[in-house]
């Protein structure tokens, strides 16, 4: 995985195996908080029975999801850099056809092989990982993935991840509300070719 070395140096932190790409820093020890963003109307009305961390495969289906496989991983940290272990991380997004699942019956034209929603729990290093697809536009929205982090002792954080280089980023209404350059940079993530899986992408989202 390619790491943003400049941000690692700015953070002044060394974490074996974990870069801090996607996290900006105001000074030596305090991290810039990931800005909260709208949950939107597409959070599942009911958490689906199948809600593991691999959104590209649905049990009982003969094929995997359409779209470019993308592995998204990162860590969940407090603003003072403490590892947040055992907290719940959720993601949800539309499929390659721009359809959200689990709001009602599967919408016409939806990809039945895409899970649409996934959840996991951070491990002893505060790390999480999902296998999903590269996000695509939804209506006037730039490509994005919704995130939610919840656990005891802190307020639930709901936010969104965007893809670096997407031309629609410049005119997305929700992303445009984030005026602070460092907070904005924390939401816009470069996707790189996967080192060992041809055709797949990989991205880092530290929260």
């Amino acid at each position: 995985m390619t790491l943003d070395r400049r941000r690692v140096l700015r953070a002044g932190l060394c974490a074996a195996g974990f870069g801090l790409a996607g996290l900006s820093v105001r000074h030596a020890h305090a991290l810039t908080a990931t800005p909260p963003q709208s949950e939107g109307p597409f959070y599942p009305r009911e958490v689906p029975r199948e809600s593991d961390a691999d959104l590209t495969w649905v049990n009982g289906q003969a094929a995997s999801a359409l779209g470019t496989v993308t592995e998204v991983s990162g860590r969940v940290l407090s603003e003072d850099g403490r590892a947040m272990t055992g907290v719940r991380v959720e993601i949800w997004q539309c499929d390659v056809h721009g359809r959200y699942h689990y709001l009602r019956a599967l919408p016409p034209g939806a990809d039945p092989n895409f899970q649409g929603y996934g959840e996991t729990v951070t491990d002893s290093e505060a790390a999480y990982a999902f296998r999903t697809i590269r996000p695509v536009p939804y209506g006037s929205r730039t490509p994005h993935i919704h995130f939610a982090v919840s656990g005891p002792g802190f307020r639930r954080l709901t936010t969104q991840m965007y893809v670096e280089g997407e031309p629609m980023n410049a005119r997305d209404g929700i992303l445009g509300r984030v005026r602070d350059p460092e907070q904005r940079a924390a939401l816009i993530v470069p996707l790189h070719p996967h080192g060992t899986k041809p055709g797949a992408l990989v991205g880092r989202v530290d929260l």
Side-chain angles (χ1 to χ4, degrees), residues 88-109:
R88 184 185 185 204
V89 183
E90 305 168 79
I91 67 169
W92 63 100
Q93 67 186 100
C94 64
D95 64 25
V96 73
H97 303 304
R99 307 291 197 275
Y100 278 91
H101 299 202
Y102 306 118
L103 300 174
R104 55 185 70 83
L106 199 64

Side-chain angles (χ1 to χ4, degrees), residues 30-104:
L31 303 175
T32 297
T34 302
Q37 294 215 286
S38 168
E39 182 177 87
F42 301 115
Y43 184 79
R45 293 179 179 174
E46 295 183 5
V47 173
R49 181 177 59 183
E50 188 168 354
S51 57
D52 61 17
D54 186 351
L55 281 67
T56 67
W57 184 261
V58 176
N59 285 334
Q61 296 295 113
S64 57
L66 299 173
T68 302
V69 172
T70 301
E71 295 186 0
V72 178
S73 63
R75 300 179 76 202
V76 179
L77 305 172
S78 66
E79 287 185 59
D80 60 2
R82 289 180 294 108
M84 305 292 287
T85 63
V87 302
R88 184 185 185 204
V89 183
E90 305 168 79
I91 67 169
W92 63 100
Q93 67 186 100
C94 64
D95 64 25
V96 73
H97 303 304
R99 307 291 197 275
Y100 278 91
H101 299 202
Y102 306 118
L103 300 174
R104 55 185 70 83

Side-chain angles (χ1 to χ4, degrees), residues 92-158:
W92 63 100
Q93 67 186 100
C94 64
D95 64 25
V96 73
H97 303 304
R99 307 291 197 275
Y100 278 91
H101 299 202
Y102 306 118
L103 300 174
R104 55 185 70 83
L106 199 64
D111 179 6
N113 302 314
F114 184 58
Q115 190 169 288
Y117 169 92
E119 59 182 39
T120 190
V121 175
T122 57
D123 65 15
S124 61
E125 299 291 338
Y128 74 88
F130 289 99
R131 181 179 174 88
T132 184
I133 62 169
R134 188 189 193 283
V136 301
Y138 173 83
S140 62
R141 293 294 321 279
T142 193
H144 61 282
I145 299 176
H146 297 265
F147 278 76
V149 181
S150 57
F154 66 94
R155 181 180 297 177
R156 173 184 170 94
L157 169 68
T158 302

Side-chain angles (χ1 to χ4, degrees), residues 1 4 6 16 19 30 32 74 129 153 193 198 201:
M1 187 186 301
D4 187 335
R6 288 172 298 176
T32 297
L201 299 172

